[in-house]
Amino acid sequence: MKIDERIKNKYVVDQSNPIHYIKRSLILKEVKELSKATKIGQIADVGCGFGTISQGLARFAKVDAYDINAKVIGFVKQTFHWVTNPKFYLKNLFTLKQGKYDLVVCSEVLQYVSDDDKALKKINSILKPHGYLILTVPFNKKLITEFDKREKSRRYSLEEIVHKMIRANFKIIKIRYWGYPLLKYFYLKMYVPRSNQEAVRVTKAYTFSTIALLLLKFSRYLFLLDLLFNSNKAMGLLIIGEKNR
């Protein structure tokens, strides 16, 4: 099967994107801490995209990675055809089996789901008793841009997302702000303007020069400084919830 060049280009760019890099680092750090406190045998990565987080999760347990984008899943399966963990599936969250997973990771997905309350309840149902959810969502409604509107993406307040998780039968274990100060500046001054430029093209090429990609790839380590901050001025939230009985 021929690889879609647009998808391939987006994959290459995403690998150098400091936002994805820091988010992945933060999630894997939290999973490592959880694995010290409880046995994690099976993980679901819901809305896995290109599987960058999924591959990191595979260090801790068996991983089922799900996405509804057929082209992305096709690309990942073809590119990483030798990989047995994680396993990638073209599946919708609402079709998944109940009570199967010790941990669900749902990163930057909930904001696109029309009925996010229903999605959180479904995530709760696929967890085993006292299973965990690591959720990341965009934070701070003051940061809504044309990019969010174009992508039909929500931003949440802390109170809003916490109440939604509690209604979905989760006990809140941890709340962590992320994406401040460097990532927030990068997002508003570079990422969003670049996305706006791509949006006006007939086809979204997702192409960067080799030099630009190398600069992004090596500068992303500088953004690790953001992990020292836990400020409500950030652009993202990470919340860990435990399933109530």
Side-chain angles (χ1 to χ4, degrees):
M1 183 177 67
K2 186 178 179 180
I3 293 178
D4 186 318
E5 286 301 312
R6 176 180 173 275
I7 295 296
K8 180 181 178 181
N9 290 342
K10 190 173 189 306
Y11 169 76
V12 171
V13 172
D14 280 1
Q15 301 315 296
S16 300
N17 188 327
I19 296 174
H20 297 316
Y21 176 70
I22 297 303
K23 179 181 64 178
R24 178 181 185 271
S25 299
L26 182 58
I27 289 171
L28 295 182
K29 177 178 178 291
E30 297 297 343
V31 175
K32 184 178 181 180
E33 291 301 313
L34 267 180
S35 68
K36 293 177 182 179
T38 187
K39 183 179 179 180
I40 300 175
Q42 195 82 19
I43 301 174
D45 186 3
V46 174
C48 64
F50 290 111
T52 306
I53 294 174
S54 310
Q55 293 177 48
L57 294 171
R59 302 203 303 262
F60 303 99
K62 292 182 179 180
V63 180
D64 291 335
Y66 301 103
D67 206 283
I68 60 172
N69 189 318
K71 289 185 177 180
V72 168
I73 289 296
F75 171 82
V76 171
K77 284 187 174 183
Q78 187 171 351
T79 305
F80 302 105
H81 57 87
W82 68 89
V83 175
T84 58
N85 186 32
K87 291 184 178 179
F88 293 95
Y89 300 93
L90 180 64
K91 270 192 175 183
N92 189 299
L93 164 65
F94 297 103
T95 67
L96 303 186
K97 184 179 178 181
Q98 295 187 5
K100 182 178 181 180
Y101 296 102
D102 303 292
L103 170 66
V104 172
V105 173
C106 182
S107 180
E108 307 305 298
V109 174
L110 195 69
Q111 66 267 25
Y112 299 110
V113 182
S114 58
D115 191 338
D116 51 359
D117 288 297
K118 184 179 178 182
L120 284 170
K121 289 174 183 176
K122 178 60 183 180
I123 289 173
N124 188 279
S125 77
I126 69 174
L127 284 167
K128 296 176 182 178
H130 297 294
Y132 293 91
L133 165 64
I134 295 181
L135 177 73
T136 71
V137 293
F139 170 66
N140 193 344
K141 295 187 179 184
K142 293 180 180 179
L143 297 180
I144 292 175
T145 66
E146 287 302 315
F147 170 79
D148 297 291
K149 296 174 184 177
R150 185 172 62 250
E151 297 293 318
K152 298 179 181 179
S153 171
R154 301 182 195 87
R155 285 191 172 272
Y156 294 90
S157 68
L158 177 60
E159 295 77 13
E160 180 183 11
I161 192 62
V162 165
H163 289 159
K164 284 178 179 291
M165 289 186 68
I166 291 172
R167 288 200 300 268
N169 199 33
F170 284 104
K171 177 173 65 175
I172 304 302
I173 302 299
K174 186 172 185 177
I175 295 171
R176 174 75 157 80
Y177 298 98
W178 72 278
Y180 177 84
L182 300 180
L183 277 178
K184 183 178 177 181
Y185 182 86
F186 170 81
Y187 174 77
L188 292 174
K189 301 300 182 181
M190 298 179 70
Y191 185 87
V192 170
R194 171 69 185 192
S195 178
N196 291 341
Q197 290 174 9
E198 291 284 356
V200 300
R201 297 185 182 183
V202 176
T203 58
K204 295 182 181 179
Y206 292 105
T207 55
F208 278 73
S209 69
T210 302
I211 293 175
L213 285 174
L214 284 173
L215 285 173
L216 274 178
K217 185 174 182 179
F218 289 104
S219 67
R220 63 184 182 170
Y221 299 107
L222 175 65
F223 290 85
L224 288 168
L225 289 171
D226 272 14
L227 298 181
L228 299 175
F229 296 88
N230 187 13
S231 168
N232 62 6
K233 296 179 182 179
M235 66 179 201
L237 276 172
L238 179 145
I239 304 180
I240 302 178
E242 181 183 0
K243 178 176 180 172
N244 286 314
R245 283 190 178 275

